[in-house]
């Protein structure tokens, strides 16, 4: 006898509820305000319209954890999705292209566990600082950051204006991906643009997904023919049964995380420092870069809303009955509002640590341990070394004018404009003339002193000189 409950007659269906569009101009500029209003209106689970499709947005911390952890109810396989199966979701719905790429993230149970093991095994040598591959990758990431700063200095001078997305983090992640994936040639910005299109549901999402997938499948075939000491080859060693197409799909998903999500985490962390988040900057000044990252992720998790889950059966969540086949969107950013309720002192006195954030996900699909170590190494190296090179860096945009990407999943910047002043050591490395008189303090949103005092030149210099003393290998 089936003892599982089903939704009581008369409880509202997702499609029948008046759901407001989630992706609005207000959402781009103030997502926290939108989450707060939805929560106030509906409680921890709210119906929203996502590019025309009705979706349950899960905002409560406990409810998000339930969805991420309980895989017997909350499934990943898109075939559970009722609207897709019944054809009420248009085939050209902008986010569908990404969900049709069947790889680890959209598998369940045994199949999922096997595929996940392949990722962990293949990534393990690259995240381990003691193994030759891990050591080499670490050294390469550090070298790339130095090269990018030198290129920025040559291009824009020892003091000036830079876009840290275009001139630092984005090329850095392209260089890391080229190396880790063993691409025969340097990857171009086209791959980044294609991945953005897919994740943000841009007009070109379908063709962009096809292009990125085709590039990864070609790479898979190339590496099968000519194995190397790179991630695709290690994935083939870990699971020789992978076809070129399946390996291409897995690499495609790794490329999303490595290129786009890791880049976003670098930018979001740099931004919190530049905005003068006192707790973030204190952790940075004492060399606790992982804590810096955790605190920045609490404020702006890169995967703000995680990939969909589909209800296997009728189930109560928040104030609603979710029907079998309904789609839910677990919101890390929404759940973090609860962790940050009050102010930063809340965390200090709370039973929760800053590591309670959901930036890596939770449950059976959370970011695999080896990937997480690798991501952490890249972000902490990129952020730490950045501040080693500069005497000053301050936002060149008013905080409320920052160019955020518009999309349902990723909370990330298109550009991170700063005014900077390179320090003497980095000038010498880039063979530039010695420092002229310091620039005036007319920028906006500059980082305050590390001790939390008001923003100002002295405070910023304090931050950077403290940083240099505290950084491993600092000067
Ligand atoms: C530092 C940046 C990173 C962040 C913030 C991040 C975040 C996440 C999150 C939130 C998930 C869970 C998604 C879900 O539950 O649906 C995830 C899964 C995953 N990530 Fe990461 N990730 C990062 C870096 C990486 C890197 C560098 C790789 C590999 C090169 C990677 C590979 C994966 C894989 C394979 C999964 C799927 C796991 C599964 O479905 O079982 N991630 N990541």
């Amino acid at each position: 006898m089936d003892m599982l409950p089903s939704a009581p007659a008369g409880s509202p269906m997702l499609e029948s509820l008046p759901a407001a569009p989630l992706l609005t101009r207000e959402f781009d500029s103030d997502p926290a305000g939108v989450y707060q209003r939805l929560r106030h209106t509906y409680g921890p689970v709210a119906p929203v319209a996502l590019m025309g499709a009705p979706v349950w947005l899960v905002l409560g911390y406990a409810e998000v954890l339930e969805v991420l952890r309980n895989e017997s109810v909350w499934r990943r396989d898109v075939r559970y999705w009722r609207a897709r199966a019944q054809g009420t979701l248009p085939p050209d719905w902008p986010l569908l292209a990404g969900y049709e790429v069947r790889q680890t993230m959209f598998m369940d149970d045994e199949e999922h566990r096997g595929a996940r093991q392949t990722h962990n095994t293949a990534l393990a040598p690259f995240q381990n600082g003691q193994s030759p591959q891990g050591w080499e990758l670490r050294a390469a990431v550090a070298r790339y950051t130095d090269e990018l700063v030198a290129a920025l200095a040559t291009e824009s001078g020892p003091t000036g204006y830079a876009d840290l997305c275009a001139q630092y983090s984005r090329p850095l992640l392209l260089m890391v991906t080229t190396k880790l994936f063993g691409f025969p040639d340097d990857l171009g910005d086209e791959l980044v643009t294609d991945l953005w299109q897919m994740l943000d549901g841009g007009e070109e999402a379908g063709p962009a997904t096809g292009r990125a997938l085709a590039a990864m499948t070609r790479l898979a075939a190339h590496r099968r023919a000519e194995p190397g000491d790179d991630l695709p080859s290690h994935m083939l060693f870990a699971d020789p049964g992978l076809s070129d197409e399946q390996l291409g799909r897995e690499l495609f998903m790794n490329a999303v995380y490595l290129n786009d999500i890791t880049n976003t985490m670098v930018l979001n962390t740099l931004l919190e420092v530049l905005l003068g988040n006192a707790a973030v900057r204190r952790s940075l000044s004492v060399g606790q870069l992982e804590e810096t990252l955790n605190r920045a992720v609490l404020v702006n998790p890169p995967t703000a809303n995680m990939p969909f889950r589909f209800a296997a059966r009728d189930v109560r969540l928040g104030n609603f009955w979710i029907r079998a086949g309904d789609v839910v969107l677990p919101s890390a950013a929404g759940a973090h509002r609860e962790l940050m309720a009050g102010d930063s002192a809340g965390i200090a006195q709370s039973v929760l640590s800053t590591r309670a954030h959901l930036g890596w996900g939770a449950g059976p699909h959370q970011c695999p341990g080896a990937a997480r170590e690798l991501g952490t190494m890249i972000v902490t190296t990129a952020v730490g070394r950045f501040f080693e090179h500069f005497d000053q860096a301050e936002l060149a945009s008013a905080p409320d004018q920052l160019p955020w990407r518009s999309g349902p999943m990723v909370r990330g910047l298109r550009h991170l404009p700063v005014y900077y002043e390179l320090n003497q050591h980095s000038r010498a490395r880039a063979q530039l003339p010695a420092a002229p008189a310091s620039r005036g303090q007319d920028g906006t949103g500059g980082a305050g002193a590390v001790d939390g005092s008001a923003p100002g030149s002295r405070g910023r210099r304090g931050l950077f000189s403290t940083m240099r003393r505290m950084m491993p290998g600092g000067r």
Side-chain angles (χ1 to χ4, degrees):
M1 200 175 73
D2 187 4
M3 299 295 289
L4 294 174
S6 55
S11 55
M13 300 276 288
L14 174 59
E15 298 79 5
S16 68
L17 287 161
L22 180 66
L23 304 180
T24 56
R25 201 170 286 177
E26 184 196 359
F27 183 75
D28 289 347
S29 62
D30 179 24
V34 173
Y35 297 135
Q36 202 172 346
R37 197 177 55 244
L38 286 168
R39 194 158 177 155
H40 185 72
T41 311
Y42 296 105
V45 178
V48 294
L50 199 57
M51 300 165 169
V55 165
W56 296 109
L57 182 68
V58 187
L59 297 157
Y61 188 78
E63 289 76 10
V64 170
L65 270 187
E66 152 65 19
V67 167
L68 296 183
R69 284 179 174 164
N70 189 348
E71 64 175 331
S72 66
V73 175
W74 306 103
R75 312 295 277 168
R76 294 305 298 261
D77 193 324
V78 287
R79 287 171 292 192
Y80 280 93
W81 193 354
R82 202 179 58 249
R84 174 181 173 275
Q86 294 178 348
T88 51
L89 189 73
D92 60 353
W93 187 65
L95 296 176
L96 192 57
Y99 280 90
E100 297 288 358
V101 182
R102 190 170 165 72
Q103 37 75 15
T104 307
M105 275 176 63
F106 304 142
M107 295 172 182
D108 291 312
D109 307 325
E110 278 309 307
E111 186 189 19
H112 167 239
R113 280 187 279 278
R116 191 176 159 88
Q117 183 59 44
T118 303
H119 283 284
N120 259 327
T121 307
L123 282 165
F126 298 100
Q127 57 82 29
N128 177 359
Q130 310 302 320
S131 77
Q133 295 89 346
W135 187 88
E136 197 190 316
L137 190 65
R138 262 157 220 255
V141 175
R143 194 173 64 245
Y144 296 156
T145 60
D146 293 347
E147 285 172 11
L148 286 164
V149 171
L152 182 152
T154 311
E155 204 174 301
S156 310
T159 65
Y161 168 90
D163 173 3
L164 296 187
C165 178
Q167 291 174 271
Y168 188 66
S169 64
R170 207 161 85 174
L172 173 67
L173 271 310
L174 275 174
M175 290 158 94
V176 176
T177 309
T178 302
K179 175 159 185 62
L180 184 64
F181 280 34
F183 265 97
D185 303 309
D186 281 0
L187 275 174
D189 261 356
E190 302 78 47
L191 178 73
V192 179
T193 316
D194 284 343
L195 298 177
W196 280 20
Q197 287 267 2
M198 178 195 72
L199 287 172
D200 295 348
E203 277 173 23
E204 280 281 295
T209 307
R211 280 193 299 271
L213 203 49
M216 295 300 155
T217 309
R218 280 197 303 276
L219 175 66
H222 175 69
R223 281 296 160 217
R224 187 187 303 279
E226 280 179 44
D229 203 359
D230 46 47
L231 184 61
S233 307
H234 278 259
M235 290 191 73
L236 280 170
F237 299 147
D239 181 0
L242 281 173
S243 67
D244 289 349
E245 288 69 29
Q246 188 56 30
L247 179 55
R249 288 194 279 271
E250 299 294 347
L251 290 174
F252 164 83
M253 192 246 326
N254 274 339
V256 170
Y257 279 112
L258 183 61
N259 240 284
D260 192 7
I261 305 297
T262 309
N263 172 30
T264 301
M265 207 181 221
V266 172
L267 288 174
N268 289 2
T269 309
L270 289 172
L271 176 65
E272 279 309 301
V273 180
L274 294 168
L275 280 171
N277 178 323
V280 166
R281 301 181 66 244
R282 264 198 302 277
S283 59
L284 185 62
S285 72
V286 296
Q288 288 292 332
L289 281 156
E290 289 192 28
E291 180 63 11
T292 309
L293 181 154
N294 285 337
R295 292 202 174 255
V297 169
L298 263 180
V299 182
N300 267 325
T303 322
N305 295 313
M306 276 173 276
F308 297 148
R309 269 73 173 165
F310 312 100
R313 58 175 170 81
D314 291 2
V315 60
R316 178 114 185 138
L317 192 70
N319 299 324
F320 294 97
W321 273 94
I322 314 295
R323 302 300 208 288
D326 275 0
V327 53
V328 305
L329 178 59
S331 177
H336 286 188
R337 309 312 309 166
E338 267 181 46
L339 295 186
M340 292 189 298
D343 53 26
S344 53
I347 280 287
Q349 285 149 23
S350 162
V351 290
L352 294 168
S353 95
T354 53
R355 286 190 291 172
H357 71 72
L358 299 171
W360 304 105
H365 283 276
Q366 67 183 278
C367 193
R372 192 169 154 156
E373 290 294 326
L374 185 64
T376 303
M377 182 276 283
I378 297 168
V379 177
T380 51
T381 307
V383 172
R385 288 188 87 86
F386 175 81
F387 288 107
E388 277 192 72
H389 283 289
F390 294 89
D391 270 342
Q392 283 192 44
E394 61 188 62
L395 269 183
S397 154
D400 62 359
Q401 300 294 313
L402 283 165
W404 291 101
R405 277 163 66 181
S406 171
M409 282 188 63
V410 178
R411 176 73 176 159
L413 291 164
R414 290 180 186 283
H415 309 284
L416 180 51
V418 293
Y419 295 120
Y420 67 85
E421 187 180 318
L422 215 60
N423 63 33
Q424 294 298 353
H425 179 82
S426 302
R427 276 168 210 257
R429 278 185 64 139
Q431 300 183 328
L432 292 166
S438 181
R439 223 179 53 77
Q441 292 298 310
D442 55 353
T444 48
V450 72
D451 57 6
S453 64
S457 156
R458 194 176 285 274
R460 267 185 290 277
R461 283 180 186 283
L463 168 68
F464 292 108
S465 54
T466 311
M467 276 294 305
R468 280 197 298 281
R469 281 200 308 275
M470 305 304 293
M471 296 301 299
R475 293 165 286 272

